[in-house]
Amino acid sequence: MIHLTIEDRDGNRQDIEIPEGINLSLMEVLKASEYDILATCGGMGICATCHVQVLEAPNSLPPVNDTELDMLDTLPEAGPDSRLSCQLRVNEDMEGAIFKIKGESN
Amino acid sequence: MITTDICIIGAGPVGLFAVFEAGLLKMRCHLIDALPQVGGQLSEIYPQKPIYDIPGFPAINAQDLVNNLLDQINPFHPTFTLGERVEKLARQEDGSYLLTSNENTQIHCQVVVIAAGLGSFEPRKPAVERLEDFEGKGVAYMIKNPELFRDKRIVLAGGGDSALDWTLFLSEIAREVTLVHRGETFRGAPDSAEKVFTLAEQGRINLILNANVTALNGNGHLKEISVARKDKIVSSLDVDYFIPLFGLTPKLGPIADWNLAIDKSAIEVNTQDFSTNVERIYAIGDINTYPGKLKLILCGFHEAALMAQSAFKYVFPAQKLSFKYTTVNGIHAL
Ligand SMILES: Cc1cc2nc3c(=O)[nH]c(=O)nc-3n(C[C@H](O)[C@H](O)[C@H](O)COP(=O)(O)OP(=O)(O)OC[C@H]3O[C@@H](n4cnc5c(N)ncnc54)[C@H](O)[C@@H]3O)c2cc1C
Ligand code: FES
């Protein structure tokens, strides 16, 4: 199991467990856990509504790709620790990470 | 005032196709959209992506589909109001409707069709103190009339293509142009980024990198902005206009206040004809919801066809509608 902590827009934290080997993005996991995330483009990296902030990442996460950087650059509230959750595949490297939901709600 | 049979709110693919279905039944349509161009999500979010599930097109580029829809409805001469958002909807005594946009355009119609998709696309607003106080008084999110900025002092913010493009454009006509960007590299087109750096080197624009606009000040009209650099040093600039360009995001907006039955930002409809709980108002495409709803273009097209058959009775109360294929007499069948 991979353990993540998610902080919602109101600052509440919840731990979630994800089985290893599932081929889902963090955005899909968050949606499946019933977080209110727009994800307008369905994970194509072109809407930025799945924005998350990485509060802690014990292991390094995969580097930001070009599509992701392009999109993050259009977000006024993005910082150096911002990611698009649809561009992050959930895998063992994410163990122990804490993400804060930043994207717009429905 | 614009007078029409059907006013369609939203010129996305579904709103556009509704013109065709209404046109077959001799109903005239006026479309209004908050975006300056037609096409909805297809033109705004993914114009260059191929779509694979439009019947008859194994693959079609999103913008090509929009262009084809425009060709298809051209014979019905729809009229358009673009770049304006419908704000108010007022029922008239005879059952017809008067719609008013944010720029006070008025449209009188017998039937309202809401094809508003995800809502109207609105600018993403940065967290800047007193930003909303100065909207229309020095803060602009879109450049509709560049002449407004001639000989003025402008501060733009953002790092994408539109921030770069408008910086280049305004550098030709404004008195002073400053571009404030959070990072130190630009993700917009490399060619535009290079031009912006060159203009900055030549002293023709001010470029403030690794910085954010944090506060606005003025008395009635914007006069001054504060810019904070990464090293926390804050400086002030005298300005006439602040233009934050951080892209657009869809918002349900005024539709939420029209007494329609709404479930999770979508309008509930009767699947027989896609009518809403309010007489003469229909909702088609991504904006509606019903058991089994799929947010797909082809589903919206189907909904448009059924809507038109039902709307007919309000536009031509004295006539009886009989169904005909377009193959019988072409598109001017009735
Ligand atoms: C990245 C991406 C890929 C997609 N791929 C596919 C695909 O392959 N196949 C498929 O079938 N679907 C796809 N979709 C979904 C498809 O784009 C939508 O189903 C379709 O755009 C819905 O059309 P629409 O006309 O209902 O709404 P929209 O396209 O959302 O258009 C609605 C329009 O209404 C306007 N509007 C809203 N409120 C107001 C107001 N108050 N005043 C004025 N104007 C207003 C908006 O500005 C907008 O232009 C995709 C969507 C995305 C984001
Ligand atoms: S879902 Fe659209 S960018 Fe991630």
Side-chain angles (χ1 to χ4, degrees):
Chain A
M1 284 289 184
I2 302 161
H3 302 86
L4 304 179
T5 302
I6 308 299
E7 185 174 311
D8 66 16
R9 294 181 187 85
D10 301 324
N12 305 315
R13 287 195 179 187
Q14 190 193 331
D15 294 335
I16 55 175
E17 283 188 343
I18 307 126
E20 279 143 38
I22 57 165
N23 188 25
L24 290 182
S25 69
L26 178 60
M27 178 276 277
E28 289 163 318
V29 167
L30 293 174
K31 274 207 157 244
S33 310
E34 308 216 322
Y35 281 99
D36 183 11
I37 290 180
L38 268 179
T40 310
C41 75
M44 292 169 95
I46 54 177
C47 74
T49 57
C50 65
H51 176 202
V52 292
Q53 189 184 355
V54 184
L55 298 182
E56 258 174 54
N59 306 308
S60 55
L61 299 174
V64 184
N65 63 38
D66 275 355
T67 331
E68 200 178 342
L69 260 182
D70 278 353
M71 230 27 252
L72 286 170
D73 244 6
T74 66
L75 286 183
E77 70 280 14
D81 44 7
S82 286
R83 297 298 300 252
L84 294 180
S85 58
C86 70
Q87 301 297 302
L88 283 171
R89 292 268 136 218
V90 176
N91 61 27
E92 291 79 32
D93 287 343
M94 268 193 197
E95 177 62 35
I98 308 179
F99 296 100
K100 182 175 172 55
I101 294 179
K102 297 277 281 185
E104 297 129 62
S105 57
N106 271 312
Chain B
M1 184 165 40
I2 297 158
T3 305
T4 187
D5 296 328
I6 300 184
C7 180
I8 303 173
I9 304 172
V14 177
L16 292 175
F17 189 65
V19 174
F20 181 80
E21 289 296 333
L24 288 178
L25 307 181
K26 298 270 188 285
M27 296 184 282
R28 295 167 304 151
C29 293
H30 183 81
L31 293 114
I32 176 160
D33 203 298
L35 291 172
Q37 79 277 341
V38 302
Q41 293 171 52
L42 280 66
S43 304
E44 186 55 38
I45 309 183
Y46 61 107
Q48 300 313 331
K49 297 241 178 248
I51 307 174
Y52 300 98
D53 51 357
I54 303 297
F57 290 95
I60 182 164
N61 172 288
Q63 189 58 48
D64 289 346
L65 177 61
V66 171
N67 295 343
N68 285 359
L69 283 164
L70 282 174
D71 284 349
Q72 192 172 14
I73 63 176
N74 193 33
F76 300 113
H77 309 295
T79 47
F80 294 90
T81 300
L82 296 175
E84 294 183 29
R85 182 173 91 159
V86 178
E87 292 286 337
K88 283 192 232 133
L89 175 109
R91 194 183 166 89
Q92 309 296 289
E93 261 178 30
D94 62 355
S96 63
Y97 279 95
L98 188 63
L99 278 71
T100 311
S101 81
N102 58 332
E103 302 209 353
N104 263 327
T105 301
Q106 294 203 310
I107 304 154
H108 180 253
C109 59
Q110 297 302 322
V111 170
V112 176
V113 172
I114 306 176
L118 302 168
S120 63
F121 284 88
E122 287 169 34
R124 282 203 184 96
K125 297 181 183 179
V128 175
E129 264 175 55
R130 302 192 59 201
L131 184 73
E132 290 180 355
D133 293 355
F134 291 106
E135 283 175 2
K137 298 170 198 144
V139 169
Y141 303 104
M142 266 185 210
I143 299 177
K144 276 198 177 173
N145 172 16
E147 274 307 306
L148 189 66
F149 304 106
R150 184 171 288 278
D151 299 325
K152 297 285 192 298
R153 292 163 305 179
I154 320 286
V155 173
L156 297 115
D161 282 320
S162 50
L164 294 172
D165 292 347
W166 282 115
T167 300
L168 294 174
F169 183 90
L170 291 174
S171 71
E172 299 286 327
I173 62 167
R175 168 138 68 103
E176 201 177 282
V177 174
T178 303
L179 174 62
V180 180
H181 176 42
R182 188 179 53 230
E184 53 189 8
T185 52
F186 287 101
R187 306 305 306 173
D191 178 48
S192 315
E194 208 179 296
K195 283 190 190 143
V196 163
F197 281 119
T198 309
L199 284 185
E201 273 160 27
Q202 294 168 347
R204 290 171 56 201
I205 61 162
N206 305 318
L207 188 56
I208 310 183
L209 299 174
N210 291 318
N212 281 309
V213 172
T214 51
L216 307 180
N217 247 308
N219 188 4
H221 196 276
L222 180 66
K223 271 205 155 62
E224 185 190 63
I225 65 161
S226 305
V227 179
R229 291 165 214 260
K230 275 230 174 87
D231 52 20
K232 300 276 188 293
I233 294 176
V234 180
S235 47
S236 299
L237 287 174
D238 291 339
V239 298
D240 299 307
Y241 287 96
F242 173 49
I243 312 174
L245 295 169
F246 293 106
L248 300 174
T249 187
K251 292 259 169 7
L252 189 59
I255 293 170
D257 307 323
W258 294 346
N259 291 328
L260 299 163
I262 290 191
D263 177 30
K264 293 199 196 89
S265 305
I267 303 171
E268 291 176 3
V269 286
N270 177 346
T271 48
Q272 217 175 334
D273 58 0
F274 301 94
S275 55
T276 67
N277 59 320
V278 181
E279 206 186 6
R280 294 184 187 229
I281 303 185
Y282 295 81
I284 56 176
D286 279 13
I287 191 75
N288 75 14
T289 182
Y290 52 86
K293 167 74 183 177
L294 282 182
K295 287 189 180 184
L296 286 176
I297 298 165
L298 101 139
C299 298
F301 288 172
H302 155 84
E303 295 163 13
L306 294 193
M307 171 283 295
Q309 300 283 319
S310 173
F312 185 85
K313 61 179 174 285
Y314 298 116
V315 177
F316 302 115
Q319 284 182 41
K320 199 171 171 318
L321 179 62
S322 67
F323 176 76
K324 289 200 182 87
Y325 289 116
T326 53
T327 36
V328 179
N329 296 324
I331 56 172
H332 298 292
L334 274 184

